[in-house]
Structure formats: C-alpha cells, structure tokens
Amino acid sequence: PSCDTGLRPTGRNEFGDGWHKKQAYPFPMLADEPGLEAFYGSQWMVLTREFCDHVVEQLDTPGSIAHKLREWFVNGTVVVEGVGRVKPHIPDETFFPSVLMTSPFRETGVPRPVEVVRDVTGPDPTAEKAFRASFYVRMDEHYPWSNATQRYTSGLDKRERPWGPYYVGTYDLGAIRESRALFVRKTSRSVDPNIFKLLPVDDYAQIPDIRWPDGPLTVSDPKPRVATVKRGDEDG
C-alpha cells in the first residue's frame, strides 16, 4: 500500500518515537551486525525471480544476513518497551525488506521513492502519474484512534472493527480507480459480491467511478417482510 516512502521499504529509524514498529526492534537489529536496521514492508509483495533466487541461496549460507535473521526470528527474543521480552514479531513484514536493503539488489531492485507511469486512462495519455501503491487497501476504519464508522459488516468477523485492513466493495471503486494500484484487498463474496462482477479489468478506465455518498447511507433488509393470510382473516 501507499506510504510516505512510496514503494521503497521503510526503515525502522524513519518511524517517529512512540511508533510500535520502532519499538518492536532494537537497533542494530542483530547484536553481531552493527548498523543493521530493520526495514518494513507489506507481507503482500512483488519480487523478481533474481531476488528470490538470492534469498534462497543466502538462506543456505551460514553467516549471511538472511540466514542469521531466520535463526533470530525462530529462536531469538527481543525486549519491547512496556511489553517485556518476547519473540520478534511480524517477520512477514520485515524479513524480505531487511534482506533486500542489505543485498546488492538495494540499488537495482528497489523502486525509487516516487515512480511514474503513463496515465493512459486520463484525458492526456502522455501524462505521467506517480505510482505510489502496488495494491489498494483501506485501513481508516480500524485504526485504534479512528472514529470512522465501519462501512461494511461481515458475518466472517468475530467482533466489530477487527484490526487490520477491512473489506472493500462497490462503493470503493472510485478510490480504487484513482489509486492506480495493481491489486486490491480485502474482498469477500459474503460482503459485496458485486465487486467481483466489475473487477478485474484490463484498464483503469473500465472501473466505474462509484464512491461512498457524503451523507448517511441506508440499506434496507432484502428479506421480504410480508405474511400470507387466509381470506376472511384480514383485520378491519
């Protein structure tokens, strides 16, 4: 998803004081690797085959950063302020970015903070637009400090406002189109099956510009609320 650093992994030291992601890891990340900084990224990623081959090779090389990080995530612990000593958390968001930023691919395989692409769906096909996100995700409803109302509800959730990205549906299509992202999540046929009739597409212009109304939106219960009575039993 989009962030201040664009598509580039975000270093631990780029987070402000008080951020849980800064408190979750020490600096350096490993005691025997001075200067090794934890880098964050999404667990949903697009990787080149060459980088994947590099990771596999490094995992089989004792003493390499990838090998050390794997052993640390499996067997190590870390002291988190206010929590205590725990196992390193969210390795799915830090392992690959941290290995990437310490590898030769740092210069050749990392997107610059702002990539540009031709916006072929706009009025000017030659215009360039910043490419800020590989996939569209909405988190605004479920930040602990958010007052936003949960837009979609699902029987899949065990509680209201579960932490993490929530479901997107038809009313999010306009924002999805505007984001120019390549992928979208999360979706569910039990939440809004209509979005599966409109996505995927071959061109952003094929996505209808449908957005959430500014005011309250009321959706009626589709189940019929009528009862059959025998003639003569009617009231009045």
Side-chain angles (χ1 to χ4, degrees):
S2 179
C3 65
D4 290 341
T5 57
L7 301 177
R8 177 176 60 81
T10 305
R12 172 229 186 240
N13 294 332
E14 295 182 73
F15 289 98
D17 293 337
W19 268 83
H20 67 284
K21 290 191 175 182
K22 188 171 187 177
Q23 297 173 343
Y25 290 103
F27 180 77
M29 196 176 183
L30 299 176
D32 62 345
E33 289 290 342
L36 178 61
E37 181 180 3
F39 279 85
Y40 282 87
S42 173
Q43 70 271 52
W44 298 77
M45 62 194 77
V46 180
L47 303 175
T48 65
R49 182 179 295 275
E50 290 77 12
F51 177 66
C52 292
D53 290 340
H54 170 78
V55 173
V56 172
E57 177 184 352
Q58 292 299 297
L59 285 172
D60 289 335
T61 305
S64 68
I65 295 296
H67 189 275
K68 289 182 178 180
L69 284 177
R70 179 182 62 184
E71 295 302 310
W72 184 63
F73 279 123
V74 173
N75 302 309
T77 59
V78 60
V79 177
V80 178
E81 182 179 352
V83 179
R85 183 169 293 278
V86 296
K87 291 188 67 65
H89 80 311
I90 53 175
D92 54 339
E93 293 185 4
T94 55
F95 174 78
F96 286 102
S98 298
V99 172
L100 173 64
M101 297 301 283
T102 58
S103 75
F105 292 89
R106 178 185 179 114
E107 299 300 326
T108 61
V110 179
R112 302 281 71 81
V114 177
E115 291 284 331
V116 294
V117 293
R118 291 288 177 87
D119 186 14
V120 297
T121 65
D124 181 4
T126 64
E128 293 185 336
K129 182 179 177 66
F131 180 49
R132 299 285 296 173
S134 58
F135 65 89
Y136 178 87
V137 62
R138 197 182 69 237
M139 288 282 291
D140 57 317
E141 296 175 2
H142 292 183
Y143 284 123
W145 54 85
S146 173
N147 293 321
T149 302
Q150 181 171 307
R151 294 175 175 177
Y152 287 107
T153 58
S154 170
L156 302 175
D157 299 322
K158 297 181 180 179
R159 61 185 177 87
E160 188 178 4
R161 292 171 67 96
W163 172 250
Y166 204 59
Y167 300 100
V168 296
T170 305
Y171 284 105
D172 296 300
L173 287 170
I176 293 171
R177 171 177 172 153
E178 185 178 1
S179 75
R180 297 303 197 260
L182 303 178
F183 307 97
V184 57
R185 63 181 289 257
K186 299 186 306 186
T187 58
S188 172
R189 296 186 187 277
S190 66
V191 176
D192 187 354
N194 291 311
I195 195 170
F196 293 92
K197 300 177 182 179
L198 300 167
L199 297 178
V201 295
D202 296 322
D203 192 290
Y204 296 115
Q206 298 173 350
I207 304 177
D209 192 9
I210 301 175
R211 299 175 184 267
W212 286 91
D214 293 334
L217 177 67
T218 302
V219 180
S220 60
D221 189 343
K223 297 179 181 179
R225 295 180 177 273
V226 297
T228 303
V229 297
K230 294 180 180 179
R231 183 171 298 279
D233 291 343
E234 300 92 333
D235 295 333

